[in-house]
Amino acid sequence: MPAVQVLLLACLVWDVGARTAQLRKANDRSGRCQYTFIVASPNESSCPEQSQAMSVIHNLQKDSSTQRLDLEATKARLSSLESLLHHQLTLDRAARPQETQEGLQRELGTLRRERDQLETQTRELETAYSNLLQDKSVLEEEKKRLRQENENLARRLESSSQEVARLRRGQCPQIRDTARDVPPGSREVSTWNLDTLAFQELKSELTEVPASRILKESPSGHLRSREGDNGCGELVWVGEPLTLRTAETITGKYGVWMRDPKPTYPYTQETTWRIDTVGTDVRQVFEYDLISQFMQGYPSKVHILPRPLESTGAVVYSGSLYFQGAESRTVIRYELNTETVKAEKEIPGAGYHGQFPYSWGGYTDIDLAVDESGLWVIYSTDEAKGAIVLSKLNPENLELEQTWETNIRKQSVANAFIICGTLYTVSSYSSADATVNFAYDTGTGISKTLTIPFKNRYKYSSMIDYNPLEKKLFAWDNLNMVTYDIKLSKM
């Protein structure tokens, strides 16, 4: 052993053990240098016997072997635990992305549902707000009308009061009572004593008049022309609108209502039909046996059409409903009594679904009309470059009997109707003071401009039709079903 190591060992023993250690250096028998340490035991008073030392050594060896086995077992368990831990970590790493993805998918689905709910609520609020705005507009118009009526009544009342005051002041011409002013054979009439007159309020009474009487009279109150006399002439005047009914919901923002100018059994001159045309699948046709039912909103029957209609151009004539099929240029004849389709016919080249509508839109490309001579269709084509085209239709099979092309651009007018073979157009659907601005006579092929005043009271006229039996215009103006009296000049 090198001397340095021996010295270090001696220092360690000295430090750890007792401070009575002795170091001796001497040569052994072979002459090699030998270091000997002598350290006193801190616990044993004397050295054990050799047998006892061997027993202690065996015990130490046994303990060492036992500890080695325990250490090996512990190492094995640690190795197994490390393997299990590694496996678990591997599984955790593999499973965690999937669990994370599933969690994200669930959260994304929740967010999407919340978004859909918010969008639905937003749409409902927008619809409600639009309805409120429309109701507000209607109420404002009604308010203006009532205010005007109140002002008129106030002026009339003031005029009546002035007249009564004038009478009380005795400003009426006095009736002379001298005998020489009384013709021979006549009796004397006493003068009025205005000071004793008592003013009484005049009261009006509402008397119900059967609709049959109304229908038998013309707008002027005279009886209608005799059978065979169609009373034709040129339109010279359109009266103020008379409101008969107001739609209950926004689906009646625009629509079409009509009566049959040539009714067939079981229908009468009073039978009324109504169609609300707001929507994408319009099939319901409300039928009212009596005018009173129509005005009160109590239909006697509801037809469900076998095919949805489009626009506000439908008419009823001779017991059948004529309408344009949705998204097509096909005109359909639906017999109301039997609830069956009797005829279908495509109008050659006619624009449809927004190609050539009236100025207000509404897919009013094909507009059916009725006058004293029968059934008509108003439309346009690419060949006509958007100008109004008129065709006379056979009411049985819908064949085109004759066609006229005008020089009136269809999209520049708000609506059109036909009276006595002459097409008339209206300048605006929203202006309160519109006009009937053009006329085209199919008899002469000549068109001319007009300036006949036409009132859009509710400022959204989506349908205007002529009823040759009643000699009135029927219109649908912003939820309201109205009529107009007219005057025709004699031919």
Side-chain angles (χ1 to χ4, degrees):
M1 178 180 295
V4 177
Q5 292 181 359
V6 172
L7 289 174
L8 289 174
L9 181 60
C11 290
L12 180 60
V13 172
W14 174 265
D15 212 26
V16 175
R19 295 182 182 271
T20 58
Q22 297 179 2
L23 174 64
R24 188 180 64 179
K25 180 176 70 173
N27 293 327
D28 61 359
R29 294 178 180 178
S30 61
R32 297 181 60 184
C33 180
Q34 186 176 27
Y35 292 88
T36 303
F37 296 96
I38 299 173
V39 181
S41 172
N43 299 323
E44 297 174 328
S45 58
S46 61
C47 293
E49 295 292 335
Q50 183 176 4
S51 60
Q52 292 178 346
M54 293 301 295
S55 175
V56 170
I57 290 171
H58 287 309
N59 289 337
L60 289 174
Q61 289 177 346
K62 188 181 297 181
D63 291 341
S64 176
S65 177
T66 301
Q67 290 176 357
R68 188 180 294 109
L69 292 174
D70 291 341
L71 180 60
E72 293 297 328
T74 302
K75 286 182 178 181
R77 287 198 297 273
L78 285 174
S79 177
S80 177
L81 288 173
E82 287 177 351
S83 177
L84 289 174
L85 180 61
H86 178 73
H87 181 66
Q88 186 63 36
L89 289 174
T90 302
L91 291 177
D92 288 346
R93 283 194 296 270
R96 189 174 297 117
Q98 183 177 0
E99 293 175 355
T100 303
Q101 185 177 7
E102 291 176 354
L104 290 174
Q105 289 290 342
R106 287 193 295 271
E107 186 174 355
L108 181 60
T110 302
L111 291 174
R112 284 175 176 169
R113 286 192 295 272
E114 292 177 354
R115 181 199 64 187
D116 293 341
Q117 292 174 357
L118 289 173
E119 288 179 349
T120 301
Q121 293 174 359
T122 301
R123 286 194 297 271
E124 292 174 350
L125 289 174
E126 289 176 348
T127 301
Y129 180 70
S130 175
N131 292 343
L132 287 175
L133 289 179
Q134 291 165 356
D135 293 342
K136 177 184 175 184
S137 177
V138 172
L139 290 174
E140 286 177 349
E141 291 296 326
E142 186 67 15
K143 180 180 176 182
K144 291 179 182 178
R145 186 178 66 82
L146 291 174
R147 185 183 293 115
Q148 185 64 38
E149 290 179 357
N150 287 339
E151 292 175 356
N152 293 339
L153 288 173
R155 285 193 294 269
R156 291 175 185 174
L157 181 60
E158 183 180 0
S159 176
S160 299
S161 299
Q162 292 174 355
E163 181 68 16
V164 170
R166 187 179 68 81
L167 291 172
R168 285 186 179 279
R169 289 194 301 269
Q171 295 178 357
C172 285
Q174 297 296 322
I175 302 177
R176 288 173 293 186
D177 55 357
T178 58
R180 55 189 171 85
D181 292 329
V182 179
S186 299
R187 63 183 180 89
E188 183 178 351
V189 180
S190 62
T191 59
W192 290 354
N193 184 3
L194 298 177
D195 293 332
T196 62
L197 287 178
F199 175 75
Q200 292 183 341
E201 180 182 359
L202 297 178
K203 295 182 180 179
S204 63
E205 294 184 359
L206 177 65
T207 303
E208 292 188 0
V209 179
S212 57
R213 279 187 56 190
I214 299 174
L215 294 173
K216 289 178 182 178
E217 295 182 356
S218 66
S220 62
H222 297 94
L223 292 177
R224 296 201 177 280
S225 304
R226 294 183 301 274
E227 187 175 356
D229 179 8
N230 58 17
C232 270
E234 293 183 359
L235 180 67
V236 294
W237 175 84
V238 178
E240 294 284 334
L242 174 65
T243 304
L244 300 182
R245 178 90 182 116
T246 300
E248 302 83 359
T249 65
I250 192 61
T251 57
K253 170 71 174 178
Y254 42 85
V256 55
W257 72 284
M258 53 231 148
R259 296 191 190 115
D260 194 342
K262 190 179 178 182
T264 60
Y265 182 82
Y267 305 115
T268 68
Q269 296 177 0
E270 285 194 67
T271 309
T272 307
W273 291 269
R274 163 189 165 181
I275 307 171
D276 297 341
T277 58
V278 175
T280 57
D281 189 44
V282 180
R283 295 175 183 265
Q284 290 186 336
V285 181
F286 298 96
E287 181 180 298
Y288 306 86
D289 290 337
L290 303 174
I291 295 176
S292 59
Q293 291 177 343
F294 167 68
M295 297 177 68
Q296 295 169 5
Y298 301 131
S300 53
K301 185 176 183 178
V302 179
H303 297 266
I304 305 298
L305 298 177
R307 177 174 175 180
L309 61 77
E310 188 164 87
S311 89
T312 58
V315 296
V316 172
Y317 181 70
S318 192
S320 292
L321 172 71
Y322 298 86
F323 65 94
Q324 173 197 354
E327 299 188 32
S328 74
R329 57 173 59 94
T330 301
V331 172
I332 300 168
R333 176 193 168 200
Y334 173 82
E335 192 173 65
L336 291 160
N337 187 30
T338 61
E339 301 183 26
T340 56
V341 173
K342 291 295 185 179
E344 295 186 27
K345 177 68 177 180
E346 276 199 357
I347 307 301
Y352 65 95
H353 203 63
Q355 287 180 283
F356 301 110
Y358 292 126
S359 61
W360 76 270
Y363 301 132
T364 49
D365 304 73
I366 295 177
D367 186 15
L368 292 151
V370 175
D371 76 343
E372 288 76 3
S373 63
L375 183 65
W376 299 77
V377 60
I378 305 168
Y379 59 103
S380 187
T381 64
D382 289 330
E383 291 78 6
K385 298 180 180 179
I388 290 179
V389 178
L390 286 175
S391 291
K392 190 75 186 308
L393 295 179
N394 183 308
E396 293 295 325
N397 55 24
L398 300 177
E399 292 293 329
L400 275 65
E401 296 178 344
Q402 193 171 353
T403 298
W404 295 260
E405 184 177 319
T406 73
N407 58 356
I408 305 169
R409 182 173 172 80
K410 191 168 186 289
Q411 289 179 282
S412 68
V413 297
N415 225 304
F417 52 91
I418 299 175
I419 300 177
C420 300
T422 297
L423 172 78
Y424 295 92
T425 64
V426 178
S427 62
S428 173
Y429 66 92
S430 58
S431 173
D433 298 312
T435 60
V436 178
N437 59 346
F438 288 107
Y440 178 85
D441 188 344
T442 59
T444 62
I446 298 174
S447 63
K448 63 180 179 180
T449 59
L450 302 172
T451 55
I452 301 172
F454 184 92
K455 300 290 186 181
N456 291 308
R457 174 172 291 171
Y458 304 102
K459 299 183 179 180
Y460 205 101
S461 292
S462 57
M463 161 254 173
I464 304 173
D465 279 338
Y466 171 63
N467 185 301
L469 178 63
E470 300 187 44
K471 301 293 183 184
K472 292 178 184 284
L473 296 179
F474 286 26
W476 193 297
D477 187 359
N478 197 8
L479 300 160
N480 296 278
M481 286 141 268
V482 301
T483 61
Y484 296 82
D485 287 339
I486 63 170
K487 288 182 180 178
L488 303 177
S489 67
K490 291 184 178 180
M491 297 295 287

